[in-house]
Amino acid sequence: MILAVADAGPIIHLDEIDALALLSTVDKLLIPQTVYQELEAGTVPPALESIEYELVETDTTTLDVDLDPGETAALAVASERAAVLLTDDLAARDTANDHDVEVHGSIGVLVLAYSRGELKKTEAAKLMRALQTETSLFITDAVVERGISLLDET
């Protein structure tokens, strides 16, 4: 069973390529209240309504990290509940690794969706390229190509 907690990045970026529904590929999705409030400050993607998730509260006072509030809350929940952290932020990924928390980004969600039969390989690769060209996410060619190679390994 994959328990995952998302910060705003994957929610926003997957929504930008009309692939937000793929977040439901994880078995249980947690969204910290702080992350939801960050989304509300902009626009909560309407597609989020079609995904089953649990809004959770967390105490971040014991976590001494230099991340924004949403990333800090997501990392705290992931750490407390032994969940996978879903983030596209490099600093959050590094910090999660420092805290021995498994971390994946939007590309990892696409790989999981492919491995669980939710996407064909060509669709997954196309969406990975779309993350680079059609979203606000900065992602290098090397990262996209590594993600595509993971499809072969799955």
Side-chain angles (χ1 to χ4, degrees):
M1 181 177 125
I2 298 175
L3 173 64
V5 56
D7 76 7
I11 295 170
I12 292 167
H13 301 131
L14 290 170
D15 185 60
E16 289 174 328
I17 58 169
D18 296 322
L20 188 58
L22 294 175
L23 274 179
S24 64
T25 305
V26 301
D27 298 304
K28 184 168 184 176
L29 179 64
L30 306 175
I31 299 177
Q33 186 67 44
T34 305
V35 170
Y36 194 83
Q37 290 167 346
E38 286 181 351
L39 293 169
E40 284 181 318
T43 302
V44 176
L48 193 58
E49 293 177 17
S50 66
I51 299 170
E52 188 174 321
Y53 63 91
E54 179 182 343
L55 275 179
V56 294
E57 295 282 343
T58 189
D59 177 16
T60 61
T61 57
T62 59
L63 193 59
D64 184 25
V65 296
D66 188 25
L67 300 172
D68 78 23
E71 292 159 350
T72 301
L75 178 58
V77 172
S79 184
E80 290 166 5
R81 301 194 187 198
V84 175
L85 174 63
L86 301 178
T87 183
D88 289 325
D89 184 86
L90 184 57
R93 292 174 75 89
D94 290 343
T95 304
N97 286 325
D98 291 345
H99 286 82
D100 296 320
V101 171
E102 184 178 348
V103 61
H104 296 285
S106 294
I107 286 189
V109 172
L110 297 175
V111 171
L112 178 64
Y114 168 73
S115 73
R116 291 193 165 183
E118 300 292 323
L119 287 175
K120 293 181 181 175
K121 183 178 175 183
T122 55
E123 294 170 309
K126 180 180 174 186
L127 288 171
M128 286 180 195
R129 289 187 179 100
L131 280 170
Q132 184 180 36
T133 60
E134 300 173 23
T135 73
S136 57
L137 176 63
F138 173 77
I139 189 168
T140 65
D141 290 338
V143 171
V144 171
E145 293 308 315
R146 175 67 183 129
I148 292 170
S149 72
L150 287 172
L151 299 173
D152 293 328
E153 297 172 18
T154 303

